[in-house]
Amino acid sequence: MNRAQPKQFREQIRILERKLGLLKKNNGSCCAAVLTLAQCHAVVEIGRVKSISLKDLAVILAIDISTTSRTVDGLVKKGYVQRIPSLEDRRSVDISLTESGMVIFETIESNNDTFFADIFDNIPNDEKMNVLHTLDVILAAFDQES
């Protein structure tokens, strides 16, 4: 392995991370005027599974339960999320989106689908499968580090 390769990899990931962060701020895909980035991530994950425990949401978001709880509290206050006592565990609550939360979720998903479809269209057709495979390899490498 060339000693410069890990530094080049780090630099490219850093640039990608910055570009993804800017997209969230600039294209409104996360309703920046309405939600924080953490709340946006929570809405997306809740919306994708319809109902989830606070503990499971914390695991998916890779943040501690107290931070997840504060994030959800903000969404409850805004009327986007509701807490429902769990049918499986009386000590737990399930979190789901309200009707207005579903509207926000669908807006985020639609905006992101459009944005990433446009980016994907800019990748040469003969490279698209390679790009998807490479992203799978990178994500798997991150999982091995966790």
Side-chain angles (χ1 to χ4, degrees):
M1 170 176 60
N2 179 330
R3 294 178 68 103
Q5 288 173 328
K7 288 187 181 221
Q8 181 183 5
F9 175 72
R10 176 185 176 208
E11 194 62 17
Q12 289 173 327
I13 293 293
R14 186 182 64 77
I15 291 167
L16 178 61
E17 182 180 32
R18 187 178 325 121
K19 288 184 182 222
L20 288 172
L22 288 174
L23 111 82
K24 298 296 183 195
K25 291 178 185 172
N26 294 337
N27 84 349
S29 64
C30 250
C31 308
V34 178
L35 301 178
T36 67
L37 191 55
Q39 289 173 335
C40 175
H41 287 290
V43 164
V44 168
E45 297 305 333
I46 297 165
R48 288 185 174 183
V49 296
K50 307 300 182 220
S51 180
I52 190 169
S53 72
L54 190 65
K55 180 181 175 185
D56 290 343
L57 182 60
V59 169
I60 290 171
L61 296 175
I63 56 178
D64 61 71
I65 291 180
S66 63
T67 301
T68 305
S69 182
R70 284 191 301 275
T71 300
V72 169
D73 285 345
L75 291 168
V76 169
K77 288 177 185 168
K78 291 177 180 182
Y80 300 134
V81 167
Q82 59 188 348
R83 288 187 168 112
I84 301 168
S86 173
L87 298 175
E88 297 173 11
D89 181 355
R90 292 184 321 187
R91 299 169 295 166
S92 181
V93 293
D94 291 328
I95 303 161
S96 61
L97 298 178
T98 62
E99 283 185 38
S100 57
M102 280 302 295
V103 170
I104 295 287
F105 167 70
E106 290 167 359
T107 300
I108 293 167
E109 289 290 278
S110 176
N111 288 346
N112 278 318
D113 285 349
T114 300
F115 179 82
F116 284 101
D118 291 345
I119 296 296
F120 197 69
D121 285 346
N122 291 330
I123 298 171
N125 286 334
D126 61 337
E127 291 291 332
K128 288 181 180 185
M129 292 309 295
N130 290 337
V131 169
L132 293 174
H133 174 71
T134 300
L135 288 170
D136 285 339
V137 170
I138 291 169
L139 291 171
F142 273 103
D143 287 343
Q144 290 176 3
E145 276 301 302
S146 300

